[in-house]
Amino acid sequence: MKRIVRLLVIFSLLLLTGCKQKTIKIPTVSNIELGKGQFIEQLVPVKINNTNDTITITSKVKWEVPEHEAGTTVSFAIAIPYTITIDGINYNGIYELGDSAWNTPDNNPKYDFRVTNLTGNGDIEVLITNKA
C-alpha cells in the first residue's frame, strides 16, 4: 500500500511541475568545410571555408510527416530552397529531401549541394563538395 501511495505522490509531483522534455539544439557551424556533412543555421548565409562563397537555406524547414491513416504507407518529400553565392552571383536551387528524386538545380559552376539530415526541430545538415 505504501508503495502505491509513493508512486501516486511521485506521479502527481511530475504532473504538477510540468515534466517537460528538453529540446536539444544541435551545434551549428559558421564556416562549412567542403566534403564534410555539417549542421548550419537556416536563413543565415554560411561561409564556405577558404572562400568568399556562401550557402543559405532560404526558407525555414523541418521534418514533418504528413497526417495519414494508421497502418498506411506514406511517401512524401520536403522542398528545401537554398542559394549558393559564388563571387557575388546568386544561384538558387531547391533540394528535394525524401522519397522523390527530383531537384531544381542551381546551375552554379563550383559546388554540389546535398541535405544529409533534417530534424523535426529544424536542425539541418548539409554536404557541399566540389563539382567533378
Side-chain angles (χ1 to χ4, degrees):
M1 183 67 169
K2 286 183 180 182
R3 178 180 255 175
I4 293 172
V5 171
R6 284 183 189 151
L7 287 173
L8 287 173
V9 169
I10 291 171
F11 182 71
S12 298
L13 287 172
L14 288 174
L15 285 175
L16 290 173
T17 59
C19 182
K20 291 183 179 179
Q21 183 179 10
K22 288 186 177 181
T23 300
I24 298 172
K25 182 70 177 154
I26 296 174
T28 59
V29 297
S30 56
N31 289 297
I32 193 163
E33 293 180 43
L34 291 176
K36 183 177 180 182
Q38 295 177 294
F39 283 89
I40 64 171
E41 287 289 329
Q42 296 185 47
L43 308 176
V44 176
V46 178
K47 188 172 177 173
I48 299 171
N49 269 359
N50 302 318
T51 69
N52 290 323
D53 305 336
T54 62
I55 177 72
T56 307
I57 305 301
T58 57
S59 288
K60 191 77 168 161
V61 294
K62 63 182 179 176
W63 184 262
E64 291 181 311
V65 178
E67 289 186 31
H68 60 283
E69 290 183 34
T72 60
T73 301
V74 177
S75 177
F76 68 99
I78 299 170
I80 303 170
Y82 66 94
T83 299
I84 293 179
T85 304
I86 301 170
D87 298 325
I89 299 171
N90 291 337
Y91 298 91
N92 299 314
I94 298 174
Y95 188 87
E96 199 70 27
L97 182 64
D99 248 6
S100 174
W102 66 270
N103 292 313
T104 303
D106 58 51
N107 296 320
N108 84 75
K110 277 175 98 171
Y111 305 110
D112 285 322
F113 171 81
R114 287 186 22 209
V115 174
T116 53
N117 196 353
L118 179 63
T119 70
N121 295 329
D123 298 310
I124 190 165
E125 182 182 36
V126 300
L127 174 65
I128 299 176
T129 55
N130 283 317
K131 286 189 174 179

